[in-house]
Amino acid sequence: MKLFYMPGACSLAPHIVANEVGIDLELVKVDGKTKTTETQQDFLATNPNGYVPALVLGDGELMTESSVLVQYLADQKPESGLMPKPGDMARYRVQQWLAFVATELHKVFGAFFKPNTPEATKEINRELLAKRLAFVDGKLDGRAYLMGDAFTAADAYLWTILGWAKHVGIDLSSFANIQRYIGTVAARPAVQKALRAEGLA
Ligand SMILES: N[C@@H](CCC(=O)N[C@@H](CS)C(=O)NCC(=O)O)C(=O)O
């Protein structure tokens, strides 16, 4: 399987999940501005939407959407527990977190990376993030990970997005549980391996 990625972007989430479950991905770096790959291929020919992550399966089929890719990869190794079994309430809880991260955090943070986002929009997003991050901080109280002691696909996604805060001036210092969580997830060998592979460690 080939993962089209940009270093530190949301594509880091499926990359971490693949490492966690022991899937060796072929990594293809994409230049977000020119939409070309490191081998000078037109990325738009792979994903017409022009965004990462894009996962190309062995049969050439394309899959996109971070929240789905992390589930797909985790489900390749169900014994890893990164996605609980279909039918388990725990699976819906992980999916609930994945949807929360995608819609309440990922896209809200994403606006800060766009050069044409108006200041007023950034201000609205800052206020919204303060509320959503306070919610996450509360949920992490007394827990190593979102689901408790077990690291799941949702943690790979949440941790990736939280990593953007320092780049866009979102202050996390008042969120003690989030700070601890960032350190806990960062210490996982699969996370360090992904960071090294993306040239970030
Ligand atoms: N809906 C997609 C959005 C992915 C996305 O926002 N990717 C960003 C990086 S985190 C990107 O590639 N942006 C470049 C662009 O949109 O041109 C998902 O959930 O995976």
Side-chain angles (χ1 to χ4, degrees), residues 4 30 34-37 39-48 50:
F4 290 79
V30 174
T34 62
K35 305 290 178 200
T36 51
T37 68
T39 53
Q40 306 310 314
Q41 305 296 306
D42 177 14
F43 177 53
L44 294 173
T46 298
N47 181 10

Side-chain angles (χ1 to χ4, degrees), residues 30-139:
V30 174
D31 181 326
K33 287 203 180 79
T34 62
K35 305 290 178 200
T36 51
T37 68
E38 55 195 330
T39 53
Q40 306 310 314
Q41 305 296 306
D42 177 14
F43 177 53
L44 294 173
T46 298
N47 181 10
N49 284 321
Y51 54 66
V52 295
L55 187 70
V56 176
L57 308 185
D59 61 3
E61 195 172 328
L62 169 72
M63 286 184 78
T64 64
E65 309 314 311
S66 312
S67 57
V68 174
L69 297 193
V70 293
Q71 295 186 60
Y72 176 79
L73 290 164
D75 280 342
Q76 302 311 300
K77 301 281 168 85
E79 66 282 6
S80 70
L82 256 68
M83 277 309 291
K85 285 199 270 324
D88 278 9
M89 187 59 192
R91 187 172 177 95
Y92 297 106
R93 290 293 181 207
V94 174
Q95 288 174 331
Q96 185 178 318
W97 274 119
L98 288 168
F100 177 90
V101 173
T103 59
E104 304 294 334
L105 299 178
H106 180 171
K107 283 291 137 184
V108 185
F109 263 109
F112 291 92
F113 290 100
K114 294 194 168 55
N116 55 352
T117 299
E119 264 318 307
T121 305
K122 287 187 186 170
E123 200 39 51
I124 291 168
N125 285 13
R126 251 183 230 111
E127 282 170 22
L128 184 59
L129 282 175
K131 286 187 203 155
R132 298 297 180 254
L133 292 170
F135 171 79
V136 172
D137 195 67
K139 290 291 180 186

Side-chain angles (χ1 to χ4, degrees), residues 143-162:
R143 302 183 143 212
Y145 303 112
L146 288 171
M147 294 293 291
D149 291 337
F151 179 89
T152 68
D155 293 299
Y157 195 13
L158 173 62
W159 185 84
T160 295
I161 304 303
L162 290 174

